[in-house]
Amino acid sequence: MKALFHNLKSTLSFNPTLKSFLILMLVANELLKGIRSLCCELLDLKDSVENLCGNTRAKYLAFLRLSEEVVEMEHELTELRKHISSQGILIQDLESGVFHELHECIKAGEQEDVPELQICEHDDLSCKDTSDAKRISLEKIDILLAEHKLQDALEALDLEEKSSPVLRSAGDTSSSVSNYKSAFFKRKAILEDHFVGISGQPSLDDVEMKQALCGLLKLGKGQLAHQILLKRFASRLRIRVEAFVPSCYLYPETYPATLSKIIFSFISLAAKESHSTFGDDPVYTNKVVQWAEEEIESFVRFVKEYGPLSETVTALRAASVCVQASLRNCLILELQGIKLSKLLMVLMRPYMEEVLEMNFRRARRVFVDIADSDEIPLLSPRFLSPLSVFASSPDNALISSGFKFISIIKDIVEQLTPLAILQFGGNLLSRTAQLFDNYVDLLTKALPSPSEDDGITELKEALSFKAETDSQQLALLGVASSVADELLPMAVSRIWNVNMETHDPMTASHIGGNAVEFKDWRRQLQHSLDKLRDHFCRQYVLNFIYSREGKTRLDARIYVDEEGEDLIWDSVPLPSLPFQALFARLQQLATVAGDVLLGKEKLQKVLLARLTETIVMWLSDEQEFWGVFEDESVPLKPSGLQQLTLDMHFTVEIARFAGYSSRHVLQLASGIIARAIKTFSARGIDLQSTLPEDEWFSEAAKAAINKLLLGASGSEASEPEEESEFLHEQHIIMSDSEDSVSCPSTVDSFHSFASAEMGDLGSPSHFIDHEG
């Protein structure tokens, strides 16, 4: 054996193929063993499954047999109940027959030897006849209650109550009657409990529910039945709402409408069911209304809790859709006699106003970054065209701010539904006017404002756009005017058209609107525009006054230091140098306005008129100016009073000549003249020999305007020093003109200040000193 193994080993060492073959054989043998073991386990598993199937089949057959036995048992119980009922009837008949026979025997005298005890028993049976009938009736009711034949038991109770007067009377207080009443009402209470228990089952269908409620109503428990009805609808509504909650986050804008439809449909169904079951009783109708009001309050709380953030446009849209859908549903319910629209708006108004307030606060915050980008938002051409006239302005940020402002307003207005506009249109317009006022405040910060320290213009805040030149400032005013007069009315036009869109007369009569006065709204916008215009005029006039030195500066010293002859001896008396400069500046500004505010002639005239008023108002209110005249140490001359009077007439004639004469300018100028006359008169100036008639000043002012416009020759020569001052003044005006005018004027000559040719106005001959 050892030799054989040795030979095999030597053979394998010299034959690798054979060695590999043997290894494979060994591996195959192991695999066969594993497969054999796996097959055994599978056979065991098969036996187990077969045993389990067999047990399941056996148990199922046992269950079927048990079910059959239960059915047979129920059948036997039913037969037993019938047998008991028949036996009871048989006993009743037997008692009646015995009583009848005894009665006949007594009547015929056949029972004369009956003991006295039997006679007494006959009397007892006669007394018990009625009680036995009542007992049988109660037992019959008990059987019906045990068999859960509630409708039959209800009919039996109703029949027993109608046939037994003692149940309806309270006079008989005997023990038997009292016991009978107690037993009857006890069974009535049991039947009531049965109906209440059935009505509380969640799986109960509507027909069975109505039967239970009608049963309670017949038992005299109408209030309880109605309360159960409302609880059932409230429970079903709560389940429906809980199932709807996940959808709120998927459809944030429209979920209030769907939720409103769900809640109002349940209210409508409850009202219809109440009417069909309980009739038109006002007590039950009021209960439905009270329940509906509670559900409306829950609905509004739900909308607030699951609504988007109040400051988002989505929240505004959701609230508007909620108002629209809910008011529509309220109109439908009013046909059923349930009025909820007033309560709904009392609850919704604070939420809607909160959403509006938060959206407008967000809009005001946007103003901080309103001009960070020159990008113009997407708007329809009808919104772009009013500001296209300013498209050539180098300040695109200014025009972009106007478009962005309108885009914000338009976005807010478009979220409102028609019925929401009827309710909150006035509120929206008021907030729109406030927002425009904030926009005007932003534009005001872009204008130069007089510094309290040294009269240098500065900006209160660093803005991305600044209006420094005349053309830029006029463009700013034009943009604000276009926004207020054209763009804003277009953006809120839905508010004015909503009444025409709402053709349903029922809607207008049942849903109170929020009266909106277009004139009041426009008046608010105009007030904001006036504020911006007044700031422009004030800073413009103050800059004009305090930016000049010497005789060209408007100061009371020019009327005190006057050394010329009386004006009445001058052929063409001229206004003082500051007023000549004012005339030229107004001409220059009118020319620029004619180019920048093309097509806005009314705005041009209003601006020029307000500028003229502002300069006269400054003279009227400047105490430092009048303090010079009132100073006793300063000598006054008649020529000073003449010059001041001529300057005032000249200012009035400027306004008349340019076509924007105002009564206010005339009143202010007359007040200045009257105050000057009073002041000079108090200082001893002879007014009779000093002042000619008003007509003379008016004609002199007109002649001065013509002379300044036409550049007439023959003006008196200026002294070298004075001429240097005039040239310096002219250089300032020409520099302002170069910075302001963006294109040549296109208005015809001599019809307004815009008609004056800059070539003529630029000549030094227009600034003529009549001193001589």
Side-chain angles (χ1 to χ4, degrees):
M1 189 68 181
K2 291 181 179 181
L4 179 61
F5 179 75
H6 180 73
N7 293 334
L8 179 61
K9 183 177 179 181
S10 60
T11 304
L12 291 176
S13 62
F14 291 102
N15 194 346
T17 304
L18 181 59
K19 183 179 180 181
S20 300
F21 176 74
L22 289 176
I23 293 173
L24 289 174
M25 290 296 292
L26 291 174
V27 172
N29 187 29
E30 292 297 328
L31 288 175
L32 287 174
K33 289 180 181 180
I35 292 172
R36 195 177 291 113
S37 175
L38 182 61
C39 289
C40 292
E41 292 178 358
L42 289 174
L43 289 174
D44 293 340
L45 182 60
K46 178 183 178 183
D47 294 338
S48 299
V49 171
E50 289 178 352
N51 292 334
L52 180 61
C53 291
N55 293 336
T56 304
R57 191 178 297 106
K59 291 180 180 179
Y60 178 69
L61 294 175
F63 175 75
L64 291 179
R65 287 194 300 272
L66 183 61
S67 299
E68 292 176 356
E69 291 177 0
V70 170
V71 173
E72 292 177 358
M73 185 65 69
E74 289 180 350
H75 181 69
E76 291 177 1
L77 287 174
T78 303
E79 293 296 331
L80 182 60
R81 290 191 189 99
K82 292 181 179 179
H83 179 69
I84 292 173
S85 179
S86 61
Q87 292 298 321
I89 295 173
L90 181 61
I91 292 172
Q92 183 180 0
D93 292 342
L94 181 60
E95 289 179 351
S96 301
V98 170
F99 175 77
H100 182 70
E101 290 180 359
L102 289 175
H103 186 69
E104 291 295 331
C105 289
I106 292 173
K107 238 170 143 184
E110 297 177 358
Q111 300 294 335
E112 295 178 358
D113 298 331
V114 176
E116 184 178 0
L117 180 60
Q118 292 182 351
I119 296 174
C120 292
E121 289 177 354
H122 167 265
D123 293 338
D124 292 339
L125 289 173
S126 177
C127 295
K128 288 182 180 180
D129 181 46
T130 303
S131 63
D132 289 340
K134 295 177 181 177
R135 179 177 56 80
I136 292 170
S137 298
L138 295 177
E139 289 178 353
K140 181 180 179 181
I141 293 172
D142 290 338
I143 293 172
L144 293 174
L145 290 174
E147 295 176 354
H148 290 278
K149 296 180 179 180
L150 302 184
Q151 295 299 326
D152 294 339
L154 179 64
E155 293 177 0
L157 283 172
D158 187 57
L159 180 62
E160 183 68 17
E161 188 172 11
K162 290 179 179 179
S163 62
S164 299
V166 294
L167 295 174
R168 300 189 300 272
S169 63
D172 194 350
T173 58
S174 61
S175 61
S176 60
V177 173
S178 177
N179 292 335
Y180 169 64
K181 284 184 177 182
S182 176
F184 178 82
F185 288 117
K186 180 179 179 181
R187 285 156 178 79
K188 198 171 183 180
I190 293 173
L191 181 59
E192 177 185 334
D193 293 338
H194 278 296
F195 280 131
V196 172
I198 291 174
S199 63
Q201 297 177 3
S203 59
L204 193 67
D205 59 27
D206 294 339
V207 175
E208 293 175 338
M209 182 67 181
K210 189 168 185 178
Q211 290 177 353
L213 296 178
C214 291
L216 289 173
L217 189 61
K218 289 181 179 179
L219 291 174
K221 300 295 181 179
Q223 295 285 349
L224 178 61
H226 197 267
Q227 184 180 359
I228 292 173
L229 173 67
L230 296 181
K231 283 185 178 180
R232 176 179 173 84
F233 275 99
S235 177
R236 292 170 62 184
L237 177 58
R238 184 169 56 255
I239 294 172
R240 182 72 180 277
V241 170
E242 290 176 355
F244 176 74
V245 168
S247 303
C248 298
Y249 303 102
L250 299 177
Y251 309 100
E253 292 186 359
T254 58
Y255 85 89
T258 306
L259 182 62
S260 173
K261 183 178 180 181
I262 293 172
I263 291 177
F264 280 92
S265 63
F266 269 87
I267 294 175
S268 178
L269 288 174
K272 291 178 181 178
E273 190 67 24
S274 174
H275 180 268
S276 64
T277 305
F278 301 94
D280 294 330
D281 192 336
V283 175
Y284 299 125
T285 303
N286 291 336
K287 292 289 184 181
V288 173
V289 173
Q290 292 177 4
W291 172 75
E293 290 176 350
E294 294 175 358
E295 294 301 327
I296 293 297
E297 293 177 0
S298 300
F299 164 66
V300 175
R301 286 196 300 270
F302 186 95
V303 171
K304 293 179 181 179
E305 181 179 356
Y306 291 93
L309 292 176
S310 297
E311 64 178 2
T312 61
V313 176
T314 304
L316 181 58
R317 181 63 182 177
S320 299
V321 169
C322 180
V323 171
Q324 178 77 18
S326 300
L327 287 177
R328 284 290 183 186
N329 291 327
C330 284
L331 292 177
I332 297 174
L333 282 180
E334 288 190 7
L335 299 177
Q336 298 177 232
I338 301 177
K339 298 180 179 181
L340 299 173
S341 57
K342 291 184 178 180
L343 173 66
L344 175 69
M345 292 316 303
V346 168
L347 297 174
M348 280 298 298
R349 186 172 299 279
Y351 175 63
M352 188 71 181
E353 291 180 350
E354 176 189 351
V355 173
L356 281 172
E357 175 63 23
M358 295 304 293
N359 269 266
F360 276 94
R361 285 186 183 180
R362 174 183 55 82
R364 284 193 289 270
R365 289 196 301 269
V366 172
F367 287 155
V368 178
D369 305 322
I370 197 170
D372 285 349
S373 173
D374 293 344
E375 182 181 355
I376 296 178
L378 294 177
L379 293 170
S380 61
R382 70 190 186 103
F383 285 97
L384 296 176
S385 58
L387 296 184
S388 61
V389 66
F390 307 107
S392 59
S393 173
D395 294 323
N396 290 330
L398 172 63
I399 301 173
S400 177
S401 69
F403 286 127
K404 288 179 181 179
F405 173 78
I406 289 300
S407 177
I408 293 171
I409 297 296
K410 188 171 178 290
D411 193 26
I412 292 176
V413 173
E414 287 179 347
Q415 306 309 317
L416 298 184
T417 56
L419 293 182
I421 289 176
L422 281 178
Q423 292 292 331
F424 303 99
N427 188 306
L428 179 65
L429 285 178
S430 178
R431 295 180 186 276
T432 302
Q434 294 175 7
L435 196 63
F436 178 73
D437 192 67
N438 297 137
Y439 175 65
V440 166
D441 290 340
L442 176 72
L443 297 180
T444 302
K445 293 176 182 179
L447 290 172
S449 58
S451 172
E452 297 178 358
D453 297 331
D454 52 6
I456 301 175
T457 58
E458 61 181 8
L459 291 179
K460 296 179 182 179
E461 295 182 8
L463 300 175
S464 58
F465 63 90
K466 301 177 182 179
E468 297 176 341
T469 64
D470 289 352
S471 60
Q472 291 173 341
Q473 294 177 22
L474 291 174
L476 185 144
L477 294 171
V479 168
S481 177
S482 296
V483 168
D485 296 337
E486 301 178 60
L487 296 181
L488 262 183
M490 283 194 293
V492 300
S493 59
R494 288 187 67 244
I495 298 178
W496 313 117
N497 297 333
V498 70
N499 291 326
M500 293 183 289
E501 294 175 1
T502 308
H503 299 291
D504 189 0
M506 184 179 65
T507 302
S509 60
H510 288 75
I511 299 179
N514 193 346
V516 179
E517 289 293 340
F518 181 72
K519 292 182 179 179
D520 294 341
W521 179 69
R522 290 301 299 267
R523 192 178 296 113
Q524 295 178 32
L525 299 183
Q526 189 60 46
H527 176 73
S528 300
L529 281 179
D530 292 344
K531 183 172 66 173
L532 177 64
R533 181 203 61 197
D534 291 345
H535 178 84
F536 163 77
C537 294
R538 184 168 56 255
Q539 64 86 18
Y540 195 90
V541 167
L542 293 179
N543 179 65
F544 168 78
I545 293 173
Y546 291 110
S547 64
R548 285 163 171 77
E549 298 296 337
K551 293 186 177 182
T552 58
R553 178 169 180 171
L554 182 56
D555 187 86
R557 294 291 176 179
I558 64 175
Y559 302 106
V560 174
D561 299 337
E562 191 79 24
E563 296 180 357
E565 299 178 356
D566 289 348
L567 296 181
I568 56 176
W569 302 109
D570 199 337
S571 59
V572 181
L574 293 175
S576 60
L577 295 179
F579 281 89
Q580 293 184 43
L582 173 66
F583 180 64
R585 175 59 70 90
L586 291 177
Q587 285 182 302
Q588 168 206 330
L589 187 64
T591 303
V592 177
D595 296 327
V596 177
L597 303 177
L598 187 62
K600 296 183 177 294
E601 287 76 12
K602 182 178 179 180
L603 177 60
Q604 298 177 36
K605 288 188 175 182
V606 169
L607 282 176
L608 294 173
R610 186 58 181 169
L611 279 172
T612 307
E613 290 180 8
T614 304
I615 194 71
V616 181
M617 288 174 62
W618 180 88
L619 280 176
S620 177
D621 300 333
E622 182 61 26
Q623 188 58 38
E624 182 180 353
F625 179 86
W626 294 100
V628 175
F629 297 142
E630 296 169 357
D631 188 357
E632 296 291 341
S633 63
V634 178
L636 300 182
K637 300 177 182 181
S639 59
L641 178 59
Q642 294 174 358
Q643 186 65 59
L644 178 57
T645 305
L646 177 61
D647 288 344
M648 292 301 99
H649 281 275
F650 179 74
T651 304
V652 172
E653 292 302 325
I654 288 176
R656 288 177 179 172
F657 173 79
Y660 54 79
S661 177
S662 73
R663 184 178 299 176
H664 192 206
V665 172
L666 181 59
Q667 291 176 348
L668 289 172
S670 300
I672 291 173
I673 294 173
R675 182 174 180 180
I677 290 174
K678 182 178 180 181
T679 302
F680 276 73
S681 176
R683 296 289 302 277
I685 303 299
D686 185 10
L687 300 180
Q688 297 293 332
S689 61
T690 301
L691 292 180
E693 298 294 333
D694 288 343
E695 289 77 6
W696 183 90
F697 284 105
S698 298
E699 294 299 326
K702 293 176 182 178
I705 290 176
N706 291 330
K707 184 175 181 179
L708 292 174
L709 284 175
L710 298 175
S713 59
S715 60
E716 299 182 8
S718 302
E719 297 178 1
E721 182 179 353
E722 294 171 350
E723 185 175 358
S724 176
E725 293 178 358
F726 306 152
L727 292 176
H728 174 69
E729 169 65 22
Q730 179 60 20
H731 175 71
I732 293 175
I733 296 178
M734 291 302 296
S735 298
D736 293 341
S737 177
E738 290 174 0
D739 292 337
S740 304
V741 182
S742 58
C743 59
S745 176
T746 56
V747 186
D748 293 338
S749 300
F750 294 101
H751 285 74
S752 69
F753 281 141
S755 66
E757 299 178 0
M758 292 301 298
D760 294 337
L761 295 177
S763 174
S765 62
H766 284 277
F767 301 95
I768 303 171
D769 188 359
H770 58 270
E771 297 178 18

